[in-house]
Amino acid sequence: MEQFVIKGGKPLHGEVAIGGAKNAALAILAAAVMTDDTVTIENLPDVRDVNVMLGAIEGIGGRVKRPDPHTVIINGSAIESLNVDYEYIKKIRASYYLLGALLGKYKKAEVALPGGCAIGSRPIDLHLKGFRALGADVDVSYGLISAEADRLTGAHIYLDKVSVGATINILMAATLAEGRTVIENAAKEPHVVDVANFLNSMGADIRGAGTDVIRITGVTRLHGTEYSVIPDQIEAGTFMFAAAATHGDVLVKNVIPKHLEATTVKLLETGCEIVEFDDAVRVIATNTVLRPTSVTTLPYPGFPTDMQPQMTAVLGLADGVSTVTESIFENRFKYVDELARMGANIKTESNIAIITGVQGYTGARVSAPDLRAGAALVIAGLAADGFTTVDDIHYIQRGYENFEVKLQGLGADIEKTSDEREAQKFRLRVS
Ligand code: EPZ
């Protein structure tokens, strides 16, 4: 089993380039099969979840070419199965986007009930409510979701809760429905906008993405396109927090600073200096005494739940008491016990973490419970005194491309190792 071994205590310095947004890419890949023409997608992050999604597309008969790790050419004209295998869906929740895509295109789809990161109960009732409103018969039985319609017709759909997944799934199906669909209380995340832009570049008629009312006028067919995925705001934010925790000075390049506003504001509150450029953000924390603050996760433009563990890792080192309230997923504090093994002082009461800052973390052997929590443990390890080993890094590899290589580029002593002998070699080398 691979693990990260980290010798902490070195401030991060230098520049890091951010890749394409994983959560935008996953939906865009599913949407790419909605045309029989060829689609080229660039700035694709070469991460595990994306590769699983491409496997799922090939699994139903889509043709996939990968001229380089960050470009994919997809053709969905030869799709022969409308049944997405459990093999894929158990690995990535986002393969349920194929439900919206296939239902829109073929008016029929079957997908196993999703798995994904265990961060909460994660129901899909709103996705199904949307499909039903568009006229589909939806049945959930024997572990399968089946959706089928003679014809899909536009509808007025109110989402009882802001959901990225439901917004995107309904958006895809409605694109090829007859007439006009309105999604109210839609998610406004940058990746929702990116998926809408992608579909529009294929001939869809979607307006209002990025606001809480999205209006879709159905079209009869979509055509091929070439599209570049937006930068990953969560990868960017993770490096920003790593700079803060290690008292470093890092230029995070290839970002859209507007997408990072909530993260930037919270880092300013902790006392870091932030310099914004057109497509880069510099975090300067060299002489910063980290200050405590409070944060609540909220749908965009609020503070992202996907940045919550990384923020907690930083606040654990602040000079005072902070609170972090998780309002999206009820089970996203599983990493707190692992941080405590590194010396953090955090108490959780239902969805609130009360963090009393400590002088410093101490290296320990810890386990990544999920993707973003794993990134937070790496951040803590980079800031800690001594050696940290992070196990179960397959979670981290779901969403971060070459994480250790990018951190090495910023001067971090971190190595991906596959056994104790390699880990020991690394420890001797950096001791
Ligand atoms: C997406 O998950 C992301 N995943 C998550 O990223 C991210 O944490 C989340 O959005 C919130 O930003 C992908 O894009 C692949 P939701 P999603 O539907 O779509 C409730 C990461 O680390 N809800 O916006 O599953 C739900 O329980 C991952 O990259 C319903 O009640 O999230 C939650 O409380 C992890 N019924 C809230 O809505 C539904 O039908 C928001 O969930 C759907 C959701």
Side-chain angles (χ1 to χ4, degrees):
M1 284 297 242
E2 287 181 331
Q3 50 196 196
F4 285 143
V5 185
I6 304 161
K7 178 161 188 275
K10 251 175 133 179
L12 298 185
H13 277 282
E15 298 181 359
V16 61
I18 298 307
K22 173 196 73 128
N23 288 342
L26 290 170
I28 286 173
L29 290 175
V33 306
M34 293 174 68
T35 170
D36 282 344
D37 297 346
T38 297
V39 170
T40 302
I41 300 159
E42 289 166 350
N43 202 31
L44 191 75
D46 186 18
V47 294
R48 200 164 280 183
D49 278 13
V50 160
N51 295 325
V52 174
M53 179 61 106
L54 289 172
I57 290 170
E58 283 182 311
I60 52 171
R63 284 196 294 266
V64 173
K65 278 196 218 137
R66 198 80 174 267
D68 69 66
H70 300 126
T71 307
V72 66
I73 301 168
I74 296 184
N75 186 291
S77 61
I79 287 178
E80 62 223 2
S81 162
L82 304 177
N83 182 329
V84 182
D85 206 83
Y86 179 63
E87 189 53 35
Y88 300 106
I89 201 98
K90 77 173 182 213
K91 289 190 191 142
I92 57 159
R93 213 181 147 69
S95 36
Y96 62 29
Y97 284 139
L98 286 165
L99 198 56
L102 297 175
L103 179 65
K105 186 177 179 192
Y106 299 105
K107 314 294 173 242
K108 184 173 171 19
E110 238 178 39
V111 169
L113 275 165
C117 270
I119 52 179
S121 62
R122 310 189 76 179
I124 52 156
D125 55 312
L126 298 172
H127 303 234
L128 307 187
K129 171 181 167 174
F131 296 147
R132 287 190 178 111
L134 295 174
D137 284 327
V138 181
D139 177 56
V140 182
S141 49
Y142 304 105
L144 276 184
I145 311 163
S146 325
E148 191 167 359
D150 291 335
R151 47 196 283 246
L152 292 175
T153 41
H156 203 109
I157 300 163
Y158 174 80
L159 297 181
D160 306 272
K161 197 164 180 184
V162 178
S163 160
V164 171
T167 304
I168 292 177
N169 236 339
I170 296 167
L171 192 66
M172 291 199 283
T175 286
L176 290 173
E178 291 166 34
R180 198 170 151 94
T181 296
V182 179
I183 307 176
E184 290 209 58
N185 201 26
K188 300 189 280 251
E189 267 69 2
H191 40 293
V192 174
V193 180
D194 209 33
V195 178
N197 287 342
F198 172 70
L199 285 165
N200 282 341
S201 79
M202 294 167 83
D205 183 350
I206 302 168
R207 289 159 206 223
T211 75
D212 44 24
V213 184
I214 302 181
R215 294 185 166 81
I216 306 135
T217 305
V219 295
T220 48
R221 69 174 291 275
L222 295 171
H223 54 72
T225 186
E226 285 182 19
Y227 195 81
S228 181
V229 178
I230 52 163
D232 196 310
Q233 52 158 0
I234 307 299
E235 185 193 14
T238 301
F239 281 100
M240 291 167 76
F241 281 124
T246 61
H247 296 280
D249 180 346
V250 174
L251 183 71
V252 183
K253 296 194 310 185
N254 184 30
V255 299
I256 299 172
K258 183 155 179 41
H259 294 170
L260 293 165
E261 261 166 18
T263 303
T264 302
V265 165
K266 286 297 150 188
L267 278 173
L268 286 170
E269 286 174 16
T270 62
C272 296
E273 195 185 324
I274 309 279
V275 188
E276 274 186 19
F277 302 90
D278 283 349
D279 62 353
V281 175
R282 181 174 167 196
V283 179
I284 307 164
T286 339
N287 296 310
T288 307
V289 176
L290 291 167
R291 289 198 299 261
T293 187
S294 60
V295 61
T296 301
T297 63
L298 286 169
Y300 188 85
F303 187 86
T305 171
D306 292 348
M307 290 298 308
Q308 180 263 100
Q310 302 90 312
M311 172 95 200
T312 301
V314 172
L315 292 177
L317 296 167
D319 186 20
V321 180
S322 303
T323 56
V324 172
T325 306
E326 172 56 57
S327 78
I328 313 282
F329 293 112
E330 71 275 15
N331 203 5
R332 226 173 179 176
F333 283 130
K334 281 191 301 184
Y335 62 92
V336 159
D337 288 343
E338 300 299 294
L339 269 187
R341 295 163 58 73
M342 302 179 72
N345 182 355
I346 305 174
K347 284 200 183 94
T348 52
E349 277 171 27
S350 91
N351 66 333
I352 303 176
I354 301 152
I355 305 153
T356 306
V358 294
Q359 287 269 311
Y361 295 138
T362 47
R365 186 161 189 156
V366 292
S367 228
D370 62 65
L371 164 59
R372 308 301 172 187
L377 293 172
V378 171
I379 291 175
L382 293 168
D385 185 36
F387 286 98
T388 295
T389 301
V390 182
D391 288 319
D392 289 335
I393 62 168
H394 55 95
Y395 284 116
I396 301 174
Q397 291 164 336
R398 294 179 66 156
Y400 292 91
E401 179 176 343
N402 290 331
F403 197 32
E404 75 286 3
V405 177
K406 290 187 180 184
L407 288 166
Q408 286 160 359
L410 296 171
D413 287 327
I414 179 170
E415 188 94 338
K416 184 170 70 185
T417 61
S418 359
D419 55 40
E420 186 45 38
R421 205 170 55 87
E422 279 179 28
Q424 193 52 22
K425 238 167 91 182
F426 167 73
R427 287 191 200 100
L428 286 172
R429 179 157 58 78
V430 296
S431 281

